[in-house]
Amino acid sequence: MAGAEGFVEADNAEAIIIRIEHKSRKIESLLKQGKPIEALKTALEGAPPKTQDERCKSANWIVVHRALMAIKDVDFMFSSLDPEYYDILMKYVHLII
């Protein structure tokens, strides 16, 4: 349940981690099939809601990073992303700069 500031409470962190682990397995499958753009889209879908739990943030970044590193053609990646995916990806990029 969301707290007063709109952040996910710690007791929901485990549920978020489980969803990220499931997403990670799906991404690995897509990468093995040679579908890195689909893997990236999957990684960006359902990004964890606002949470202060560092485990959730870190776990989802690892999933996004794994998909990004498999992409060889960055221009094609950007042209393939819908604006909503692009916006989410840019939020991740700004976090690491």
Side-chain angles (χ1 to χ4, degrees):
M1 177 179 269
E5 297 171 3
F7 288 98
V8 173
E9 294 177 5
D11 59 344
N12 289 329
E14 291 303 318
I16 294 170
I17 294 291
I18 290 169
R19 284 195 309 265
I20 293 169
E21 289 171 351
H22 176 71
K23 185 177 5 178
S24 178
R25 288 189 295 274
K26 185 175 180 182
I27 289 165
E28 287 302 320
S29 175
L30 288 167
L31 292 175
K32 288 178 184 176
Q33 296 172 38
K35 299 178 180 179
I37 300 297
E38 291 302 315
L40 179 60
K41 288 178 179 179
T42 301
L44 295 172
E45 287 173 356
K50 295 178 183 176
T51 180
Q52 294 179 343
D53 191 296
E54 290 300 320
R55 295 175 306 145
C56 295
K57 292 178 184 179
S58 179
N60 208 65
W61 164 243
I62 290 168
V63 170
V64 171
H65 183 261
R66 173 69 180 105
L68 271 175
M69 296 310 296
I71 294 173
K72 306 291 184 222
D73 187 347
V74 176
D75 290 333
F76 179 71
M77 175 195 70
F78 283 120
S79 67
S80 299
L81 291 178
D82 294 333
E84 67 185 70
Y85 292 115
Y86 181 81
D87 289 343
I88 295 167
L89 179 59
M90 290 302 106
K91 289 176 185 173
Y92 279 103
V93 170
H94 288 293
L95 288 175
I96 61 170
I97 296 178

